[in-house]
Coordinates of all heavy atoms in Angstrom, one line a residue:
L4 N 0.8 -1.2 0.0 CA -0.1 0.0 0.0 C 0.8 1.3 0.0 O 0.6 2.2 -0.6 CB -1.0 0.1 1.3 CG -2.1 -0.9 1.0 CD1 -2.8 -1.0 2.4 CD2 -3.1 -0.5 0.0
A5 N 2.0 1.3 0.8 CA 2.9 2.4 0.8 C 3.5 2.5 -0.6 O 3.6 3.7 -1.1 CB 3.9 2.2 1.8
A6 N 3.8 1.4 -1.2 CA 4.4 1.5 -2.5 C 3.4 2.1 -3.6 O 3.8 2.8 -4.5 CB 4.9 0.1 -3.0
L7 N 2.1 1.6 -3.5 CA 1.1 2.1 -4.4 C 0.9 3.6 -4.2 O 0.9 4.4 -5.2 CB -0.3 1.3 -4.0 CG -1.5 2.0 -4.8 CD1 -1.4 1.8 -6.3 CD2 -2.8 1.3 -4.2
W8 N 0.9 4.1 -3.0 CA 0.7 5.5 -2.7 C 1.8 6.3 -3.3 O 1.6 7.3 -4.0 CB 0.6 5.6 -1.2 CG 0.2 7.0 -0.7 CD1 -0.1 8.1 -1.4 CD2 0.0 7.4 0.7 NE1 -0.4 9.2 -0.6 CE2 -0.4 8.7 0.7 CE3 0.1 6.7 1.9 CZ2 -0.7 9.4 1.9 CZ3 -0.2 7.4 3.0 CH2 -0.6 8.7 3.1
W9 N 3.0 5.9 -2.9 CA 4.2 6.6 -3.5 C 4.4 6.6 -4.9 O 4.6 7.7 -5.6 CB 5.4 6.2 -2.8 CG 6.7 7.0 -3.2 CD1 7.0 8.2 -2.7 CD2 7.7 6.6 -4.2 NE1 8.2 8.6 -3.4 CE2 8.5 7.7 -4.3 CE3 7.8 5.5 -4.9 CZ2 9.6 7.7 -5.1 CZ3 8.9 5.5 -5.8 CH2 9.8 6.5 -5.9
G10 N 4.1 5.4 -5.5 CA 4.3 5.2 -6.9 C 3.1 5.9 -7.8 O 3.5 6.5 -8.8
S11 N 2.0 6.0 -7.1 CA 1.0 6.8 -7.9 C 1.2 8.2 -7.8 O 1.0 8.9 -8.8 CB -0.5 6.5 -7.3 OG -0.6 6.9 -6.0
L12 N 1.7 8.8 -6.7 CA 2.0 10.1 -6.6 C 3.2 10.5 -7.6 O 3.2 11.4 -8.3 CB 2.6 10.5 -5.2 CG 1.6 10.7 -4.0 CD1 2.2 10.6 -2.7 CD2 0.8 12.0 -4.3
S13 N 4.1 9.6 -7.7 CA 5.2 9.7 -8.7 C 4.8 9.7 -10.1 O 5.2 10.6 -10.9 CB 6.4 8.7 -8.5 OG 6.8 8.7 -7.1
T14 N 4.0 8.8 -10.4 CA 3.6 8.6 -11.8 C 2.7 9.8 -12.2 O 2.8 10.3 -13.3 CB 2.8 7.3 -12.0 OG1 3.7 6.3 -11.6 CG2 2.4 7.1 -13.4
I15 N 1.7 10.2 -11.5 CA 0.7 11.2 -11.8 C 1.4 12.5 -11.9 O 1.3 13.3 -12.8 CB -0.5 11.2 -10.9 CG1 -1.4 9.9 -11.3 CG2 -1.3 12.4 -11.1 CD1 -2.5 9.7 -10.3
G16 N 2.1 12.8 -10.7 CA 2.7 14.2 -10.6 C 3.9 14.5 -11.4 O 4.1 15.7 -11.8
F17 N 4.7 13.4 -11.6 CA 6.0 13.7 -12.4 C 6.1 13.2 -13.7 O 7.0 13.5 -14.4 CB 7.2 13.2 -11.5 CG 7.2 13.8 -10.1 CD1 7.0 13.0 -9.0 CD2 7.4 15.1 -9.9 CE1 7.1 13.5 -7.7 CE2 7.4 15.7 -8.6 CZ 7.3 14.9 -7.5
L18 N 5.1 12.4 -14.2 CA 5.1 11.8 -15.5 C 3.8 12.2 -16.3 O 3.9 12.9 -17.3 CB 5.3 10.3 -15.4 CG 5.4 9.6 -16.7 CD1 6.5 10.0 -17.6 CD2 5.3 8.1 -16.6
V19 N 2.7 11.8 -15.8 CA 1.4 12.0 -16.5 C 1.0 13.4 -16.7 O 0.8 13.8 -17.8 CB 0.4 11.2 -15.9 CG1 -1.0 11.4 -16.6 CG2 0.7 9.6 -15.9
V20 N 1.0 14.2 -15.7 CA 0.4 15.6 -15.8 C 1.4 16.4 -16.7 O 1.0 17.1 -17.5 CB 0.2 16.1 -14.4 CG1 0.0 17.7 -14.5 CG2 -1.0 15.4 -13.7
P21 N 2.8 16.4 -16.4 CA 3.6 17.1 -17.3 C 3.4 16.7 -18.7 O 3.5 17.6 -19.6 CB 5.0 16.8 -16.8 CG 4.9 16.4 -15.3 CD 3.5 15.8 -15.2
M22 N 3.1 15.4 -19.0 CA 3.0 14.9 -20.4 C 1.7 15.6 -21.0 O 1.6 15.9 -22.2 CB 3.0 13.5 -20.5 CG 4.4 12.8 -20.5 SD 4.4 11.1 -20.7 CE 3.9 10.9 -22.3
L23 N 0.7 15.6 -20.2 CA -0.6 16.3 -20.6 C -0.4 17.7 -21.1 O -0.8 18.1 -22.1 CB -1.6 16.3 -19.5 CG -2.4 15.0 -19.1 CD1 -3.2 15.3 -17.8 CD2 -3.2 14.5 -20.1
F24 N 0.3 18.4 -20.3 CA 0.6 19.9 -20.7 C 1.5 20.0 -21.9 O 1.4 20.9 -22.7 CB 1.1 20.6 -19.5 CG 0.0 21.0 -18.6 CD1 -0.2 20.2 -17.5 CD2 -0.7 22.2 -18.7 CE1 -1.3 20.6 -16.5 CE2 -1.7 22.5 -17.8 CZ -2.0 21.7 -16.7
A25 N 2.4 19.0 -22.0 CA 3.4 19.1 -23.2 C 2.7 18.6 -24.5 O 3.0 19.1 -25.5 CB 4.6 18.2 -22.8
R26 N 1.8 17.7 -24.3 CA 1.3 17.1 -25.6 C -0.1 17.6 -26.0 O -0.4 17.5 -27.2 CB 1.2 15.5 -25.3 CG 2.4 14.9 -25.1 CD 3.2 14.7 -26.3 NE 4.4 13.9 -25.9 CZ 5.6 14.2 -26.4 NH1 5.7 15.2 -27.2 NH2 6.7 13.5 -26.1
L27 N -0.9 18.1 -25.1 CA -2.3 18.4 -25.5 C -2.3 19.8 -26.2 O -3.3 20.1 -27.0 CB -3.3 18.4 -24.3 CG -3.7 17.1 -23.8 CD1 -4.6 17.1 -22.6 CD2 -4.3 16.2 -24.9
G28 N -1.4 20.6 -25.9 CA -1.4 21.9 -26.5 C -2.3 23.0 -25.9 O -2.0 24.2 -26.1
N29 N -3.4 22.6 -25.4 CA -4.4 23.5 -24.8 C -4.3 23.4 -23.3 O -4.6 22.4 -22.7 CB -5.8 23.2 -25.3 CG -6.7 24.2 -24.8 OD1 -6.4 24.9 -23.9 ND2 -7.9 24.1 -25.6
P30 N -3.7 24.5 -22.6 CA -3.6 24.4 -21.2 C -4.8 24.2 -20.4 O -4.9 23.6 -19.4 CB -2.8 25.7 -20.8 CG -2.3 26.2 -22.0 CD -3.2 25.6 -23.1
A31 N -5.9 24.7 -20.9 CA -7.2 24.6 -20.3 C -7.7 23.1 -20.3 O -8.1 22.6 -19.2 CB -8.3 25.5 -20.9
V32 N -7.5 22.4 -21.4 CA -8.0 21.1 -21.5 C -7.0 20.1 -20.6 O -7.4 19.3 -19.9 CB -8.0 20.6 -23.0 CG1 -8.1 19.0 -23.1 CG2 -9.0 21.3 -23.8
A33 N -5.7 20.4 -20.6 CA -4.7 19.7 -19.9 C -5.0 19.9 -18.4 O -4.9 19.0 -17.6 CB -3.3 20.1 -20.3
G34 N -5.3 21.1 -18.0 CA -5.6 21.4 -16.6 C -6.8 20.7 -16.1 O -6.9 20.2 -15.0
N35 N -7.9 20.7 -17.0 CA -9.0 19.9 -16.5 C -8.7 18.4 -16.3 O -9.2 17.8 -15.4 CB -10.1 20.0 -17.5 CG -10.8 21.3 -17.5 OD1 -10.8 22.0 -16.4 ND2 -11.3 21.8 -18.6
F36 N -8.0 17.8 -17.2 CA -7.6 16.4 -17.1 C -6.7 16.2 -15.8 O -6.8 15.3 -15.1 CB -6.8 15.9 -18.3 CG -7.6 15.4 -19.5 CD1 -7.5 16.0 -20.7 CD2 -8.5 14.5 -19.2 CE1 -8.3 15.7 -21.7 CE2 -9.4 14.0 -20.3 CZ -9.2 14.6 -21.5
A37 N -5.7 17.2 -15.6 CA -4.9 17.1 -14.5 C -5.7 17.2 -13.1 O -5.4 16.5 -12.3 CB -3.9 18.3 -14.6
A38 N -6.7 18.0 -13.1 CA -7.5 18.2 -11.9 C -8.2 16.8 -11.7 O -8.3 16.4 -10.5 CB -8.6 19.3 -12.0
Q39 N -8.7 16.1 -12.7 CA -9.4 14.8 -12.5 C -8.4 13.8 -11.9 O -8.7 13.0 -11.1 CB -10.1 14.4 -13.7 CG -11.2 15.3 -14.2 CD -11.8 14.8 -15.5 OE1 -11.6 13.8 -16.0 NE2 -12.4 15.8 -16.1
L40 N -7.2 13.8 -12.4 CA -6.1 12.9 -12.1 C -5.7 13.1 -10.7 O -5.5 12.2 -9.8 CB -4.9 12.9 -13.0 CG -5.1 12.4 -14.3 CD1 -3.9 12.7 -15.3 CD2 -5.2 10.8 -14.4
F41 N -5.6 14.4 -10.3 CA -5.2 14.7 -8.9 C -6.3 14.3 -7.9 O -6.1 14.0 -6.7 CB -4.8 16.1 -8.8 CG -3.5 16.5 -9.3 CD1 -3.3 17.5 -10.2 CD2 -2.3 15.7 -8.9 CE1 -2.0 17.9 -10.7 CE2 -1.0 16.0 -9.5 CZ -0.9 17.0 -10.4
E42 N -7.5 14.6 -8.3 CA -8.7 14.0 -7.5 C -8.5 12.5 -7.2 O -8.7 12.0 -6.2 CB -10.0 14.4 -8.1 CG -11.2 14.0 -7.2 CD -12.5 14.4 -7.8 OE1 -12.6 14.9 -8.9 OE2 -13.5 14.2 -7.1
A43 N -8.4 11.8 -8.4 CA -8.2 10.3 -8.2 C -7.0 10.1 -7.3 O -7.2 9.1 -6.5 CB -8.1 9.6 -9.6
Q44 N -5.9 10.7 -7.5 CA -4.8 10.6 -6.6 C -5.1 10.8 -5.1 O -4.7 10.1 -4.2 CB -3.6 11.5 -7.1 CG -2.4 11.4 -6.2 CD -1.9 10.1 -5.9 OE1 -1.7 9.3 -6.9 NE2 -1.7 9.6 -4.6
S45 N -6.0 11.8 -4.9 CA -6.3 12.1 -3.5 C -7.1 10.9 -2.9 O -7.0 10.5 -1.7 CB -7.2 13.3 -3.5 OG -6.4 14.5 -3.7
W46 N -8.0 10.3 -3.6 CA -8.7 9.1 -3.1 C -7.8 8.0 -2.9 O -7.9 7.2 -1.9 CB -9.9 8.7 -4.1 CG -11.0 9.7 -4.0 CD1 -11.3 10.7 -4.8 CD2 -11.8 9.9 -2.8 NE1 -12.4 11.4 -4.4 CE2 -12.7 11.0 -3.1 CE3 -11.9 9.2 -1.6 CZ2 -13.7 11.3 -2.1 CZ3 -12.9 9.6 -0.7 CH2 -13.8 10.7 -1.0
I47 N -6.8 7.8 -3.7 CA -5.8 6.7 -3.5 C -5.0 7.0 -2.1 O -4.8 6.1 -1.4 CB -4.8 6.6 -4.7 CG1 -5.5 6.1 -5.9 CG2 -3.6 5.7 -4.3 CD1 -4.6 6.1 -7.2
A48 N -4.7 8.3 -2.0 CA -3.9 8.7 -0.8 C -4.9 8.3 0.5 O -4.3 7.9 1.5 CB -3.5 10.1 -0.9
I49 N -6.1 8.8 0.4 CA -7.0 8.6 1.5 C -7.1 7.2 1.8 O -7.1 6.8 3.0 CB -8.4 9.3 1.2 CG1 -8.1 10.8 1.2 CG2 -9.4 8.9 2.3 CD1 -9.4 11.6 0.6
G50 N -7.4 6.4 0.8 CA -7.6 4.9 1.0 C -6.3 4.2 1.6 O -6.4 3.6 2.6

C-alpha cells in the first residue's frame, strides 16, 4: 500500500500531468484532465 501510494504520486505528478501539458497543446484542457487525475490521486492517498 505504501508503494502504491508513493508510486501513484510519482507517476501522476512527475510523468502523466507534465505530459498532458506538453502534448495536448491547450492548457485549459490539460488542466481539466490534471484536476481529475489529482482528485483520483487524493482518493488513492486517503484509502
